Amino acid sequence: MWRTRAAAACVICRSLANSSYGIKRKSPLQNLHLISRSIHHPYYPSSKFQRPPLRISIQLFSSLNRLPLCKTKLLNVKYGYQFHRNFWLARLASRLLKLRYLILGSAVGGGYTAKKTYDQWKDMMPDLDEYKWIVPDFIWELDEHIDFEKLIKAIPDADELAKLLPDFDKIGESFTSLKGFFSPGYNLVSEVIGASDLLLLLGSPGETAFRATDQGYDNDKQYKKVSDKEKVDQLQEELLRTQLKYQRMLERLEKENKELRKLVLQRDDKGIHQRKLKKSLIDMYSEVLDILSDYDASYNTQDHLPRVVVVGDQSAGKTSVLEMIAQARIFPRGSGEMMTRSPVKVTLSEGPHHVALFKDSSREFDLTKEEDLAALRHEIEIRMRNSVKEGCTVSTETISLSVKGPGLQRMVLVDLPGVISTVTSGMAPDTKETIFSISKAYMQNPNAIILCIQDGSVDAERSIVTDLVSQMDPQGKRTIFVLTKVDLAEKNVASPSRIQQIIEGKLFPMKALGYFAVVTGKGNSSESIESIKEYEEEFFQNSKLLKTCMLKAHQVTTKNLSLAVSDCFWKMVRESVEQQADAFKATRFNLETEWKNNYPRLRELDRNELFEKAKNEILDEVISLTQVTPKHWEEILQKTLWERVSTHVIENIYLPAAQTMNSGTFNTTVDIKLKQWTDKQLPNKAVEVAWETLQEEFSRFMTEQKGKEHDDIFDKLKQAVREESIKRHKWNERAEDSLRVIQHNALEDRSISDKQQWDAAIHFMEETLQSRLKDTESVIEDMVGPDWKKRWLYWIGRTKEQNIRNETKNELEKLIKCNEEHAAYLASDEVTTVRKNLEARGITVDPCLIKDTWHQIYRRYFLKTALNHCNLCRRGFYYYQRHFVDSELECNDIVLFWRIQRMLAITANTLRQQLTNTEVRRLEKNVKEVLEDFAEDNEKKVKLLTGKRVQLAEDLKKVREIQEKLEAFIEALHQEK
């Protein structure tokens, strides 16, 4: 249609051009529309219009004469006119023959140059043949079907046509007055439509406004203004009454609906319908978010699932808005101080009872009871403080809370710590930066809905959060702005239009999807939700901001805010959840491929499954302790116990007793020392040995590799379990008392029953003495240096101190040879004698060095003598049975070692029974307790079960779980649609 009009306009313009011939101005054809010109001009040559007279000016030129020639007068050339052939004209033409050729040549050259320039410009122009389809074919054929000549004759002249056109200036003034008249009615009707969905049946706001204005139109301008004002006031009052009427109707219907849904949900809980309730849609979605919060995105799969992020300046009213949406005072409150110290994820869902519970707890808090509300606030405060590490003020750890109740809008909100501008005393230095990083981490999610809370009672220029939000969402495609404390703002703000500018988004540089104004109470922390709602409704009903149309009805109250946020949340969920599911599906494929390439023969066991496998292996190894043979236990215990007490027996019991003069004194000394030893040290030493033996055997089983089946991934866990179990295990306190009695009775017995026991005692004594003699020889060699053989064979020399000790040793050996029954200690005069003998040979010796050397020399002499005595006592069993009567041979030392040997055997047997019957079971119990404690401590498991294999299996499990839950959620979401 518009192309036909363009063609017609082009014909009109030609007519105007013809009618204005002779006027010195641009032809209207030059100002025509591009499309009309493109339609008409191709057919211009075919039109039969009369050509305008051609006016030409000719300038004469001669190449023979450089003088300027005179210009001829302009000639009016008319078509069909012939000049008279006069002879003077012919003569003049013949004389100007050269000039004719010059003019002809110039014309030919100029034409060629013009054609070349035209071709160049034509090549530079783009080819528009491909876009010829834009203009319909019938446009190009208009001249075949329409007689433009008749149409031109029928069109009047330009002057007559101009008279027919209206005065556009007067029309503009009329539209301006109409615009000012229509705008009040339009605003009022749009507010009513925004306030109640029932008014959508009334029609569009523009039609209603025009209907209202058409009825009040009057020709008298002054009377019209007065009449319009009265009608606007009447219409405004009527609309407000209608709004309140429908608002009460909606509230009554919602209340009835809420009660009915509560009854239905309660019947479902009691099982009246005898059907199993599935998880609600929002609960399924919240589970996915909880899993994602624990998932470490190591494979570039970020959490882009929607949630409502509540941000705002400190004390701007974030928590109050959240409580109004949740319809319960669930958060700890404080005046001016920071109360939100960590992110709190609140999942709102519908249920028959108004309750709250934490993700990791089964306790339900009844939000209708004040004592449960106080307990919930206290629990949230404790969890926040526990999540904050030492030296910090805020924490990144998220506290997950679910709130259910009738009439709650389903959504997931995250309350973040308030943004601060200054770090005060008592805060960590990095508190401000930490809060900014936490807020940015949540807001940078492209699908997160940002609920920006601004305090309306303070100057807008003091806001910090608006700049932060505008940085994260510059286009405002996912931001909802909320102005709190509007009641205080209306009282304190001098210009109410400033509030209107804020709500219309004209004051802040940030953009938003919607703007809301709410009132969250009078500032009293003891106010109930119901009283706050009543105060908010009463305020907005009487507020001038609403009556004067500065605020629209659908932009006020937390109820409208909750509905808008919930709708936006679910819209964002439906748009993005399938894309997130596809992303996790691709991540799962990548992880499975990596596992197949790296661990083709291993099952995909995550950290918990590996822990259970290691737990079973450790318990099997503990049970293996009960399979150790009694003989093995007793041999280990007896050997270890003797190694522990042999020094005491030799040094404190045998050597002092051997210095006595007769057998009676020897036996008395031995009995006394054995009694003292048994009462004070021996039982404790025996228990220590048994406990260490149990530890060594347990460690051996835990660290023993089992061939190809051994998995080194459990080594750290097994070591930690072993150390913690041993640390917790304590030997039975009564074991020492019973063991003391048994040992004392064993040492009291002196009766060797047969020759075999006698020989065994001699063998035991010889082994002990030879071991001590070997140790003593080694000590003496270190003191005096190598002997002459080693010096010659290995070219090793003695030091100066070794030479002194060697000379001292030689002097002391001479002393022993002179008196073979010498006592164990040197007398003072003997020390002086040795020192003087050495000084006579030019060797200065300290008396302490002499005594120290004597101790080792005499010890070696005594051990050699005792070994010789053992050989003599091999045939002394017969004399022993006769109590060495009429015999010079005395073998009381053999009896002593038999008593020691028998005590060791009885003690080892007793400890073995305690081990197998009691201590191994107690150790197994301790191991189970340690494993149970480790199973509940995720940080401990992460620390002990590490490696690429564990992390890969853990990521694979998480991704599978997320994908499965997302697919289940998407299926339920489609069913709900």
Side-chain angles (χ1 to χ4, degrees):
M1 186 65 185
W2 63 270
R3 294 184 181 91
T4 307
R5 292 177 179 175
C10 190
V11 175
I12 294 171
C13 294
R14 287 176 185 161
S15 176
L16 293 175
N18 291 330
S19 63
S20 59
Y21 172 71
I23 301 173
K24 294 184 179 180
R25 64 176 182 178
K26 293 184 179 180
S27 174
L29 193 61
Q30 298 177 4
N31 297 326
L32 293 180
H33 193 272
L34 178 62
I35 295 179
S36 64
R37 292 167 63 186
S38 64
I39 293 173
H40 175 72
H41 291 168
Y43 299 93
Y44 181 83
S46 64
S47 61
K48 299 178 180 180
F49 300 143
Q50 184 180 2
R51 293 187 178 182
L54 179 64
R55 297 175 62 88
I56 60 175
S57 175
I58 303 175
Q59 180 178 0
L60 299 179
F61 179 79
S62 176
S63 61
L64 301 177
N65 191 359
R66 296 184 179 179
L67 295 175
L69 298 178
C70 296
K71 296 182 180 179
T72 61
K73 294 182 179 179
L74 295 175
L75 299 178
N76 292 330
V77 182
K78 297 183 179 179
Y79 294 96
Y81 178 80
Q82 298 291 334
F83 291 97
H84 297 285
R85 298 181 177 179
N86 295 327
F87 291 101
W88 64 270
L89 184 61
R91 287 193 297 270
L92 180 62
S94 61
R95 294 176 182 176
L96 298 176
L97 184 61
K98 292 183 180 180
L99 180 62
R100 181 178 60 186
Y101 286 111
L102 289 174
I103 294 173
L104 181 62
S106 300
V108 172
Y112 175 77
T113 304
K115 183 177 182 302
K116 186 175 180 181
T117 304
Y118 170 76
D119 293 338
Q120 291 178 354
W121 278 93
K122 184 178 180 181
D123 294 338
M124 293 171 62
M125 294 295 292
D127 188 7
L128 300 178
D129 293 339
E130 298 179 358
Y131 305 98
K132 191 175 181 179
W133 57 271
I134 297 176
V135 181
D137 295 335
F138 73 89
I139 297 296
W140 307 109
E141 300 172 359
L142 283 177
D143 57 343
E144 298 178 4
H145 303 286
I146 301 175
D147 191 351
F148 289 103
E149 293 181 357
K150 294 182 179 180
L151 184 62
I152 292 171
K153 293 178 180 179
I155 295 174
D157 295 337
D159 297 337
E160 297 178 358
L161 185 63
K163 294 178 181 179
L164 296 176
L165 294 176
D167 191 350
F168 290 103
D169 296 335
K170 294 183 179 180
I171 292 175
E173 294 177 358
S174 300
F175 272 113
T176 303
S177 61
L178 285 174
K179 180 180 178 183
F181 175 72
F182 291 152
S183 56
Y186 175 80
N187 290 336
L188 292 174
V189 175
S190 63
E191 287 190 19
V192 176
I193 292 174
S196 175
D197 292 338
L198 296 177
L199 296 182
L200 290 174
L201 300 175
L202 298 178
S204 63
E207 293 176 358
T208 307
F210 275 108
R211 255 187 249 116
T213 55
D214 288 341
Q215 295 175 0
Y217 183 81
D218 197 344
N219 294 328
D220 187 5
K221 190 172 183 181
Q222 186 67 24
Y223 177 76
K224 173 184 172 183
K225 290 183 179 180
V226 177
S227 176
D228 291 344
K229 184 176 181 181
E230 291 177 354
K231 289 192 175 188
V232 167
D233 293 338
Q234 293 176 1
L235 182 60
Q236 182 178 355
E237 294 294 333
E238 183 180 354
L239 290 176
L240 287 176
R241 287 194 300 269
T242 306
Q243 175 188 348
L244 295 175
K245 175 183 175 182
Y246 284 115
Q247 188 73 22
R248 294 191 189 98
M249 291 175 59
L250 286 174
E251 290 177 357
R252 181 169 53 81
L253 291 174
E254 286 179 358
K255 187 175 181 180
E256 294 176 358
N257 185 28
K258 181 178 178 181
E259 295 295 332
L260 290 174
R261 290 183 63 84
K262 183 176 181 180
L263 290 175
V264 171
L265 292 172
Q266 287 176 348
R267 289 178 180 177
D268 289 339
D269 283 350
K270 295 178 181 178
I272 293 178
H273 297 287
Q274 294 182 355
R275 63 184 178 86
K276 185 177 180 181
L277 287 175
K278 296 181 179 179
K279 287 185 178 180
S280 65
L281 202 61
I282 191 64
D283 289 336
M284 297 171 65
Y285 186 76
S286 180
E287 286 184 0
V288 176
L289 295 182
D290 289 336
I291 298 172
L292 282 173
S293 64
D294 300 330
Y295 174 64
D296 183 15
S298 303
Y299 294 88
N300 297 325
T301 304
Q302 298 179 358
D303 175 15
H304 288 168
L305 289 176
R307 71 261 288 160
V308 181
V309 180
V310 185
V311 296
D313 298 328
Q314 184 178 350
S315 302
K318 305 186 315 303
T319 303
S320 299
V321 172
L322 204 57
E323 287 180 338
M324 291 295 292
I325 295 175
Q327 299 182 14
R329 308 298 293 268
I330 58 178
F331 290 104
R333 310 183 68 82
S335 57
E337 63 174 318
M338 179 182 294
M339 298 305 298
T340 306
R341 297 180 177 271
S342 65
V344 181
K345 182 176 76 69
V346 182
T347 303
L348 301 180
S349 60
E350 196 169 18
H353 306 290
H354 202 186
V355 295
L357 66 157
F358 292 98
K359 179 186 72 172
D360 54 354
S361 176
S362 59
R363 179 187 175 184
E364 285 190 352
F365 297 88
D366 190 351
L367 301 183
T368 59
K369 298 180 180 179
E370 187 59 37
E371 54 270 18
D372 280 18
L373 278 172
L376 176 62
R377 290 192 290 265
H378 182 66
E379 180 67 20
I380 293 176
E381 185 174 2
I382 290 176
R383 288 174 178 257
M384 284 185 182
R385 295 189 181 277
N386 292 338
S387 65
V388 177
K389 298 180 180 179
E390 186 177 356
C392 299
T393 306
V394 294
S395 170
T396 58
E397 183 179 345
T398 304
I399 299 174
S400 183
L401 178 69
S402 296
V403 178
K404 298 181 179 180
L408 292 183
Q409 298 298 321
R410 302 176 302 168
M411 67 183 93
V412 178
L413 303 101
V414 182
D415 186 20
L416 299 180
V419 179
I420 60 175
S421 58
T422 306
V423 177
T424 59
S425 60
M427 292 184 180
D430 61 342
T431 301
K432 180 179 177 181
E433 290 75 15
T434 304
I435 294 175
F436 268 84
S437 63
I438 293 174
S439 302
K440 288 181 179 179
Y442 277 91
M443 288 191 293
Q444 70 184 1
N445 179 359
N447 296 321
I449 300 167
I450 304 173
L451 196 62
C452 180
I453 310 298
Q454 171 64 32
D455 189 350
S457 63
V458 299
D459 294 336
E461 290 77 10
R462 295 170 55 185
S463 176
I464 306 173
V465 71
T466 51
D467 293 336
L468 181 62
V469 172
S470 61
Q471 292 176 9
M472 306 308 295
D473 184 23
Q475 301 300 324
K477 295 181 179 180
R478 52 189 179 90
T479 301
I480 296 177
F481 181 86
V482 182
L483 186 67
T484 61
K485 306 177 184 180
V486 182
D487 53 341
L488 300 178
E490 187 179 24
K491 296 178 183 178
N492 300 333
V493 177
S495 176
S497 61
R498 189 174 177 84
I499 299 177
Q500 183 181 8
Q501 290 179 350
I502 295 175
I503 296 301
E504 291 178 353
K506 298 179 180 178
L507 190 62
F508 292 110
M510 61 169 288
K511 300 178 182 179
L513 284 173
Y515 297 82
F516 289 87
V518 298
V519 175
T520 56
K522 301 178 182 179
N524 187 3
S525 60
S526 61
E527 288 181 291
S528 64
I529 295 295
E530 294 298 329
S531 62
I532 296 175
K533 290 172 64 177
E534 293 176 359
Y535 172 72
E536 184 183 36
E537 294 175 0
E538 180 182 358
F539 167 76
F540 283 115
Q541 287 178 4
N542 302 322
S543 175
K544 295 180 180 179
L545 298 173
L546 196 61
K547 290 183 177 180
T548 56
C549 304
M550 290 186 181
L551 297 179
K552 298 178 182 179
H554 67 275
Q555 290 182 315
V556 297
T557 71
T558 52
K559 182 178 180 180
N560 291 335
L561 170 65
S562 178
L563 292 171
V565 173
S566 179
D567 291 342
C568 186
F569 169 76
W570 284 107
K571 180 182 177 183
M572 192 75 74
V573 168
R574 289 185 176 93
E575 291 176 354
S576 61
V577 68
E578 293 186 358
Q579 182 181 1
Q580 284 292 295
D582 294 339
F584 279 103
K585 186 176 181 180
T587 303
R588 174 179 176 177
F589 175 78
N590 295 336
L591 293 175
E592 288 177 346
T593 304
E594 185 176 358
W595 182 274
K596 291 178 182 178
N597 293 332
N598 294 326
Y599 312 103
R601 298 183 180 180
L602 296 177
R603 290 193 300 127
E604 301 166 0
L605 299 179
D606 59 14
R607 187 171 280 108
N608 292 330
E609 292 171 338
L610 287 172
F611 183 82
E612 290 298 324
K613 183 179 179 181
K615 178 181 177 180
N616 295 330
E617 288 187 8
I618 293 172
L619 293 177
D620 291 341
E621 290 163 357
V622 175
I623 295 175
S624 299
L625 288 173
T626 60
Q627 306 300 321
V628 178
T629 60
K631 182 180 179 181
H632 179 73
W633 279 119
E634 292 180 8
E635 288 179 354
I636 295 176
L637 290 170
Q638 187 172 349
K639 179 181 178 182
T640 308
L641 181 59
W642 176 240
E643 290 176 354
R644 188 67 59 83
V645 302
S646 60
T647 302
H648 180 82
V649 171
I650 298 298
E651 301 294 336
N652 298 328
I653 298 176
Y654 177 57
L655 286 178
Q659 303 302 317
T660 58
M661 301 301 298
N662 51 52
S663 60
T665 308
F666 179 87
N667 292 331
T668 302
T669 305
V670 167
D671 291 342
I672 294 173
K673 291 187 177 294
L674 287 177
K675 180 68 168 56
Q676 294 174 350
W677 182 46
T678 305
D679 292 339
K680 296 180 180 180
Q681 300 181 9
L682 184 57
N684 188 21
K685 289 287 185 182
V687 171
E688 288 181 0
V689 168
W691 178 216
E692 292 176 1
T693 303
L694 179 61
Q695 293 181 33
E696 291 175 359
E697 289 298 308
F698 180 53
S699 301
R700 182 172 64 85
F701 281 108
M702 293 280 285
T703 58
E704 185 179 10
Q705 296 186 1
K706 298 175 178 60
K708 296 181 179 180
E709 298 180 357
H710 177 72
D711 196 345
D712 56 357
I713 202 171
F714 300 140
D715 291 346
K716 292 176 66 176
L717 176 61
K718 290 182 177 180
Q719 182 180 359
V721 171
R722 176 176 60 85
E723 293 176 355
E724 185 64 23
S725 301
I726 291 173
K727 182 179 179 180
R728 295 185 183 185
H729 184 77
K730 292 182 180 180
W731 204 273
N732 190 1
E733 296 178 356
R734 298 180 181 179
E736 290 189 14
D737 297 335
S738 60
L739 191 60
R740 183 179 291 106
V741 176
I742 294 173
Q743 291 173 341
H744 188 271
N745 293 334
L747 291 173
E748 287 291 330
D749 189 7
R750 295 189 182 88
S751 57
I752 303 176
S753 58
D754 54 16
K755 183 72 166 52
Q756 185 178 0
Q757 293 182 7
W758 180 269
D759 293 339
I762 292 175
H763 180 69
F764 175 62
M765 181 178 177
E766 285 181 342
E767 285 185 349
T768 303
L769 295 179
Q770 286 177 357
S771 175
R772 296 292 168 177
L773 179 60
K774 185 177 180 180
D775 294 340
T776 305
E777 291 286 357
S778 177
V779 173
I780 293 174
E781 183 178 358
D782 292 338
M783 291 173 61
V784 302
D787 56 3
W788 65 271
K789 290 183 179 179
K790 291 184 179 180
R791 292 199 302 271
W792 279 97
L793 293 175
Y794 301 106
W795 293 81
I796 299 175
R798 291 173 175 169
T799 63
K800 182 178 180 180
E801 183 179 357
Q802 288 177 344
N803 286 325
I804 295 173
R805 284 188 177 273
N806 184 53
E807 294 295 332
T808 306
K809 179 186 74 89
N810 294 333
E811 286 292 328
L812 295 174
E813 287 177 348
K814 293 177 183 179
L815 186 61
I816 292 176
K817 288 180 181 179
C818 295
N819 185 10
E820 294 182 356
E821 296 182 357
H822 197 285
Y825 302 99
L826 284 175
S828 299
D829 54 347
E830 291 176 334
V831 174
T832 304
T833 302
V834 172
R835 182 172 60 81
K836 288 183 177 181
N837 291 337
L838 292 173
E839 289 178 353
R841 286 184 290 174
I843 301 173
T844 305
V845 182
D846 187 69
C848 294
L849 186 144
I850 297 173
K851 292 180 180 180
D852 187 28
T853 307
W854 165 256
H855 177 72
Q856 300 298 331
I857 298 301
Y858 181 82
R859 183 185 182 85
R860 182 178 64 177
Y861 169 74
F862 173 80
L863 293 174
K864 288 181 178 180
T865 304
L867 285 171
N868 293 331
H869 185 67
C870 286
N871 292 327
L872 295 176
C873 290
R874 289 183 182 277
R875 53 185 177 85
F877 180 70
Y878 171 74
Y879 298 103
Y880 166 76
Q881 289 179 329
R882 296 180 59 184
H883 302 288
F884 300 104
V885 178
D886 299 332
S887 174
E888 296 180 356
L889 184 62
E890 293 182 356
C891 297
N892 294 315
D893 48 356
I894 304 297
V895 177
L896 170 63
F897 277 91
W898 178 83
R899 294 165 67 182
I900 298 295
Q901 187 181 30
R902 185 168 179 273
M903 182 273 299
L904 293 174
I906 293 174
T907 302
N909 181 268
T910 305
L911 293 174
R912 189 265 306 169
Q913 293 180 9
Q914 292 181 359
L915 283 171
T916 56
N917 296 336
T918 306
E919 302 303 329
V920 171
R921 294 179 181 178
R922 293 178 66 238
L923 179 61
E924 181 181 359
K925 182 180 178 181
N926 291 335
V927 171
K928 290 181 179 179
E929 291 177 355
V930 171
L931 290 172
E932 290 176 358
D933 293 342
F934 283 5
E936 297 176 356
D937 191 350
N938 291 326
E939 293 182 359
K940 183 75 70 174
K941 288 192 290 186
V942 171
K943 182 179 179 180
L944 298 176
L945 293 174
T946 58
K948 180 180 178 181
R949 169 184 157 194
V950 182
Q951 190 61 43
L952 185 59
E954 195 72 15
D955 291 338
L956 189 54
K957 174 193 172 184
K958 290 287 186 184
V959 171
R960 282 175 177 167
E961 186 178 7
I962 293 170
Q963 183 193 358
E964 292 172 359
K965 289 188 177 295
L966 276 176
E967 290 177 352
F969 171 75
I970 293 172
E971 182 179 358
L973 187 65
H974 291 165
Q975 291 177 358
E976 189 183 60
K977 289 182 180 178

